[in-house]
Amino acid sequence: TKMRQITLNNTDIREPLANTIRNQCEKNLKQDSKPSVWSPLTENALVETAISGTLAATAVRSVLASCGPTVSPIVLDTNPLDSLQLLCEQHHVCFEDPQFPPQNTSIQSHPSKAYGVATWRRASTLCTAPVLFGNLAKSVADIQLGAANSSVLLASLSEMFRISHTNPLRSLIQPSTINPHGIYSVQLLIDGKWRYMIIDDYIPCNAEGGPVFLKHRNGNELW
């Protein structure tokens, strides 16, 4: 494009201005040609990730904050599962929920000892052939509540099973298969809108190594 004569202090600045624009355009083209993957991992977060073997808490919180937690800090308007999954894959680490870490202090209703919590284990390590969803769950009779003696939870699950011909939770949990990085999203209907909660696969367990709370009678189903 032709440029009109532009002067500054009686000096024609068309040529240096054109050079500046040309250089910036070339720089933009080079940047556009590079594959760009957004990552919230700072240098400190990378170190934390490498040392712990799990995605840094600062990186996780950065992703969650970008997903519109308008209802509460742990309930999100958009699903960040793909972004967090990609970060775990890139850095060869697992996911750990910084908002509900595998620590007894996360269970706040009563002291953890009252429930018999002795340790926390990844769900995939609880049995030899784990599956997230099998074909056996037909009703709440397949569920053992353990220390989660909640009639409200039982009634809610019972109603969901009553109106569904298959496991009603299958469509609400992503992915629907075992995730080697230990990260899942749960879809919840809150205030008339579908929202999302991100969880890891740590399970509070008793001294024998089994789940303290809910579990399926067939020990292989982890949902």
Side-chain angles (χ1 to χ4, degrees):
T1 303
K2 293 183 179 180
M3 299 178 61
R4 294 183 302 168
Q5 182 177 11
I6 305 175
T7 60
L8 181 63
N9 295 334
N10 298 320
T11 302
D12 187 349
I13 64 170
R14 284 179 301 172
E15 184 175 352
L17 181 59
N19 289 335
T20 299
I21 295 174
R22 186 183 303 109
N23 292 337
Q24 184 61 49
C25 289
E26 292 175 353
K27 182 178 180 181
N28 292 344
L29 286 174
K30 290 180 180 179
Q31 291 178 343
D32 291 341
S33 65
K34 297 179 181 178
S36 58
V37 178
W38 176 79
S39 172
L41 292 186
T42 62
E43 183 177 351
N44 289 338
L46 282 169
V47 172
E48 181 184 344
T49 294
I51 292 176
S52 65
T54 58
L55 198 59
T58 51
V60 175
R61 288 193 175 94
S62 177
V63 174
L64 298 182
S66 69
C67 294
T70 55
V71 175
S72 83
I74 62 173
V75 179
L76 310 172
D77 294 340
T78 57
N79 193 349
L81 177 64
D82 290 342
S83 297
L84 292 170
Q85 173 77 19
L86 180 60
L87 288 174
C88 289
E89 292 173 354
Q90 288 176 333
H91 300 284
H92 309 289
V93 294
C94 292
F95 175 76
E96 182 178 305
D97 184 359
Q99 299 178 110
F100 193 85
Q103 302 169 3
N104 290 353
T105 53
S106 295
I107 305 174
Q108 299 176 357
S109 298
H110 300 284
S112 296
K113 290 182 179 179
Y115 293 119
V117 177
T119 184
W120 294 67
R121 297 176 60 186
R122 292 278 185 183
S124 58
T125 68
L126 294 177
C127 54
T128 55
V131 294
L132 193 60
F133 293 100
N135 299 317
L136 299 178
K138 302 299 182 183
S139 72
V140 293
D142 299 316
I143 302 170
Q144 293 179 324
L145 289 179
N149 188 16
S150 171
S151 58
V152 174
L153 176 61
L154 193 64
S156 299
L157 290 173
S158 179
E159 183 64 14
M160 292 176 69
F161 275 100
R162 186 185 67 81
I163 63 177
S164 176
H165 298 294
T166 59
N167 191 320
L169 301 180
R170 187 184 291 269
S171 62
L172 303 180
I173 300 177
Q174 299 177 6
S176 59
T177 57
I178 297 295
N179 188 335
H181 297 285
I183 179 173
Y184 300 88
S185 70
V186 180
Q187 197 172 6
L188 305 169
L189 186 63
I190 299 177
D191 293 341
K193 179 180 178 180
W194 285 108
R195 305 178 195 272
Y196 305 89
M197 181 181 293
I198 296 295
I199 60 173
D200 61 30
D201 64 347
Y202 273 107
I203 303 294
C205 295
N206 54 34
E208 289 73 35
V212 167
F213 300 106
L214 290 172
K215 64 179 180 180
H216 192 270
R217 291 187 183 278
N218 163 38
N220 290 350
E221 288 197 39
L222 302 182
W223 58 268

